[in-house]
Amino acid sequence: MRASSKAYPAGGMLLALFLLYLAPFTDARLPYVAFLVCLYRVVRYDAAVFGTDYCVLAAVSLLFQTPGGTSLLAYLCIFAVIWQFIRGSLRTDASFVVLILLLDYLLLRMKGGYSQFLLCFSQLALLRLFLPAQKGAVIVRTARLFCLSLLASSVYAWALRGTPQLLLLQGAEVAAYQGSAATRFQGLFQDPNYYMALLAVGIALTICLYVSGQIGGAQLVAVAGSLSVFGLFTYSKTFLIVFLALLALFVLLQFVTGKAALGLGTAVCAVLGLAGAAACPDTPFSVVLYRLTSASSLGELTTGRAELFAAYLEAILETPSTLLVGVGLSGDTLGLAPHNLLLELAYYLGVVGLALFLLYIVLLLHGAGRCGGRPPALARYLTLLTVAALFSTLSGMFSATTYVMLFLAVAAVWMPGRRIGNCYHGEGVARPEDIHSLDKER
């Protein structure tokens, strides 16, 4: 009988993380040992535990690879999916049917792109097989441990920034803008844009945890504040815009949940703090503002994305075939990746593939674990809105990190509220059916 996930078995994951953090400075073969530890956990524990492991490992995916640069996290996900198919009791609901349709469609449009097919389908299947196990307290656990893992990896990367061992894995940091002496911090990633995307998702999750009563104000300030500082040091225009939007939505949520004084105080402190940061020429905030305000054209403002969007849209509309079914998984990029997930899906898989993908996500949202006493909808959908905003300027169809963010976004939609007496945090008086539902889960 498989072990229960009610008490998270942290020991094995801590060992795996210790080996991965140690590997760049001791023995490049240590990730293989960490891989074996994680394989054991897949077999030993249930789907809820692997769902948490999956999100925790995303923050150190650069370290979780072979000396040749092959991702061991991708292979772990493939093994976990196969194992869950063998051991799991599959429910043939609508999302499962769409998953099978996606499998058939990806096979038809593979066109020799075997590695792309394996990555895409294994990650899509992982969402369907492991998301249902994210219920109640498990959602809270996964969100909290993801944020802590991301924070720990950021501290590690900052402390060892510029060391030859990390430079060998990451490559050299790029300048904040042409001629700038400041370079973009990228955490444990090769691209600062994907690092900042994970940071933004972590901030959104932390806000959701706070509004649902799962963490206190001190934890919110410590975690979200630290992730925000690291994000600003990526000098990303997208991160700044998303960060300001999250700050505004947090203030709005305080008014929605009856904490008008806290919302007003947060807004005043934020305006004063950002004004002070903008007035100082060497702060990350002022540097990113300069990147935004010094642009002389739309192309410069979007760092070439506007031209890319136009080029990919033209390629998609070139023939009825490319419009309907795309160029296939092995198709070449037009110099650079599309920098927009929807455009990327339409380019490789056509509108048919794009429609199947979006339908699949909607069905996963509908079928995610439910519990009583949930926080306001704005808080629960905040992570999903953040992911949607981020991937309007990022590609990610062939990146495992994208699917981790989708996993967290769908799970957060069903974040439970903390029960206080006969009420749930932020929801007023609990309904009898909600209390019964929560008690049944526990």
Side-chain angles (χ1 to χ4, degrees), residues 154 158 161 174-177 180 182-187 192-193 195-200 203 223-245 247 270 273-278 282-292:
S154 299
W158 185 271
R161 189 179 186 186
V174 298
Y177 56 87
S180 172
T183 57
R184 301 183 64 186
F185 180 57
Q186 54 201 50
N193 290 321
Y195 171 58
M196 72 84 185
L198 280 173
L199 291 171
I203 295 167
V223 177
S226 299
L227 295 177
S228 300
V229 170
F230 285 123
L232 290 172
F233 273 102
T234 65
Y235 299 109
S236 166
K237 292 177 285 188
T238 302
F239 179 83
L240 179 61
I241 293 168
V242 171
F243 168 73
L244 293 176
L247 192 57
L274 293 173
D282 297 326
T283 64
F285 185 68
S286 63
V287 171
V288 182
L289 278 182
Y290 173 78
R291 290 190 69 198
L292 285 167

Side-chain angles (χ1 to χ4, degrees), residues 388-429:
L390 290 166
F391 282 95
S392 66
T393 64
L394 285 176
S395 305
M397 181 179 169
F398 303 121
S399 171
T401 305
T402 302
Y403 299 94
V404 172
M405 288 187 263
L406 282 173
F407 186 98
L408 289 163
V410 174
V413 171
W414 302 105
M415 179 76 71
R418 183 168 64 89
R419 186 170 172 181
I420 305 173
N422 68 333
C423 299
Y424 285 97
H425 194 279
E427 281 286 310
V429 179

Side-chain angles (χ1 to χ4, degrees), residues 262-438:
L262 178 59
L264 185 60
T266 302
V268 171
C269 290
V271 169
L272 292 176
L274 293 173
C280 298
D282 297 326
T283 64
F285 185 68
S286 63
V287 171
V288 182
L289 278 182
Y290 173 78
R291 290 190 69 198
L292 285 167
T293 56
S294 63
S296 58
S297 64
L298 181 61
E300 190 176 343
L301 178 64
T302 61
T303 324
R305 286 177 172 83
E307 292 85 351
L308 268 178
F309 294 168
Y312 273 96
L313 187 59
E314 182 180 353
I316 291 166
L317 298 174
E318 186 175 7
T319 66
S321 174
T322 55
L323 175 62
L324 287 174
V325 295
V327 299
L329 294 178
S330 61
D332 294 328
T333 60
L334 304 180
L336 291 172
H339 283 71
N340 180 287
L341 183 58
L342 297 183
L343 267 180
E344 186 180 27
L345 287 162
Y347 176 71
Y348 287 106
L349 299 176
V351 294
V352 174
L354 174 61
L356 283 172
F357 181 89
L358 293 177
L359 176 61
Y360 184 58
I361 299 301
V362 169
L363 292 173
L364 288 175
L365 286 166
H366 177 72
R370 299 169 183 266
C371 71
R374 290 174 291 155
L378 178 58
R380 291 184 287 111
Y381 282 93
L382 191 61
T383 308
L384 187 64
L385 292 171
T386 301
V387 170
L390 290 166
F391 282 95
S392 66
T393 64
L394 285 176
S395 305
M397 181 179 169
F398 303 121
S399 171
T401 305
T402 302
Y403 299 94
V404 172
M405 288 187 263
L406 282 173
F407 186 98
L408 289 163
V410 174
V413 171
W414 302 105
M415 179 76 71
R418 183 168 64 89
R419 186 170 172 181
I420 305 173
N422 68 333
C423 299
Y424 285 97
H425 194 279
E427 281 286 310
V429 179
R431 299 171 300 172
E433 59 268 29
D434 286 342
I435 296 175
H436 175 72
S437 173
L438 188 64

Side-chain angles (χ1 to χ4, degrees), residues 126-177:
L126 190 151
L127 295 176
R128 171 59 183 76
L129 295 173
F130 293 94
L131 266 173
Q134 298 289 306
K135 297 178 181 178
V138 177
I139 298 174
V140 176
R141 178 188 76 196
T142 299
R144 293 180 67 155
L145 291 183
F146 165 77
C147 293
L148 290 176
S149 179
L150 184 58
L151 184 56
S153 72
S154 299
V155 172
Y156 172 90
W158 185 271
L160 300 170
R161 189 179 186 186
T163 57
Q165 292 84 353
L166 286 191
L167 286 175
L168 185 64
L169 291 170
Q170 299 171 309
E173 293 181 356
V174 298
Y177 56 87

Side-chain angles (χ1 to χ4, degrees), residues 49-81:
V49 169
F50 179 75
T52 302
D53 288 356
Y54 172 62
C55 296
V56 168
L57 289 168
V60 293
S61 57
L62 184 67
L63 305 179
F64 198 24
Q65 60 182 12
T66 68
T70 302
S71 172
L72 290 172
L73 178 58
Y75 282 105
L76 179 67
C77 291
I78 292 170
F79 176 82
V81 166

